[in-house]
Amino acid sequence: MPLHLSPRSLLGLATATPPAERAPRVLAVILDRDDVHITLPAAITLATKESRQLCVAVIRPRPPWILNARLIALLGAESDRQITDLLHLVLAKTAKVDGKPIISVHLLAGLRGRRREQVLERAVKRLARRYDAQPLGTWAA
């Protein structure tokens, strides 16, 4: 089947104006309840003051893989409960934010071992790049 190009489709890409430069989003990195009370208000203040979109990344350790099915279920349930509690706090704090914040949950392996700082640094860099955002948080402390 032959492809027919109209002058409009040929000129559409060449005459398109470049997208307007916008400030990067604000990425609040939440690891636990303390970060909800420390990091999130600072990120909300920065996002509203500079009219930027807010992104919230809740990062939690992935439940470990164990051969005992009952223990896996218990650890999974506890992890889900902690994530739900954090999400309720985050939603309560971001309820009055202008614009719609992006809230995501990330379960990472390696947050319990020696490489915790390295895993967190990589994850935060990857999230900042994905959301085109400036990260804020206490993960480096």
Side-chain angles (χ1 to χ4, degrees):
M1 176 183 285
L3 179 65
H4 300 285
L5 297 175
S6 66
R8 177 182 167 105
S9 65
L10 290 175
L11 295 176
L13 294 175
T15 60
T17 59
E21 291 293 324
R22 64 177 173 86
R25 297 173 175 130
V26 176
L27 175 65
V29 178
I30 306 297
L31 300 175
D32 53 15
R33 294 177 73 88
D34 294 337
D35 286 338
V36 174
H37 299 298
I38 296 170
T39 303
L40 195 55
I44 290 171
T45 302
L46 182 64
T48 54
K49 187 172 94 173
E50 297 181 2
S51 300
R52 294 160 53 179
Q53 187 177 13
L54 177 66
C55 300
V56 180
V58 178
I59 299 177
R60 297 294 300 159
R62 188 175 72 198
W65 175 252
I66 302 171
L67 291 177
N68 187 344
R70 185 178 302 162
L71 188 55
I72 289 175
L74 288 173
L75 291 173
E78 179 63 21
S79 175
D80 290 346
R81 186 194 62 76
Q82 291 174 357
I83 291 169
T84 304
D85 290 346
L86 284 175
L87 284 177
H88 283 295
L89 288 172
V90 168
L91 289 172
K93 292 261 187 194
T94 60
K96 297 179 182 178
V97 173
D98 294 336
K100 186 176 179 183
I102 298 171
I103 301 172
S104 59
V105 176
H106 306 274
L107 300 177
L108 299 179
L111 288 184
R112 291 190 173 101
R114 297 183 309 247
R115 297 179 30 226
R116 176 182 168 85
E117 292 83 17
Q118 187 179 26
V119 169
L120 279 174
E121 281 294 323
R122 285 182 184 168
V124 169
K125 285 180 184 177
R126 186 180 70 234
L127 289 170
R129 191 171 46 249
R130 179 188 301 167
Y131 292 122
D132 185 30
Q134 170 192 0
L136 292 176
T138 60
W139 76 92

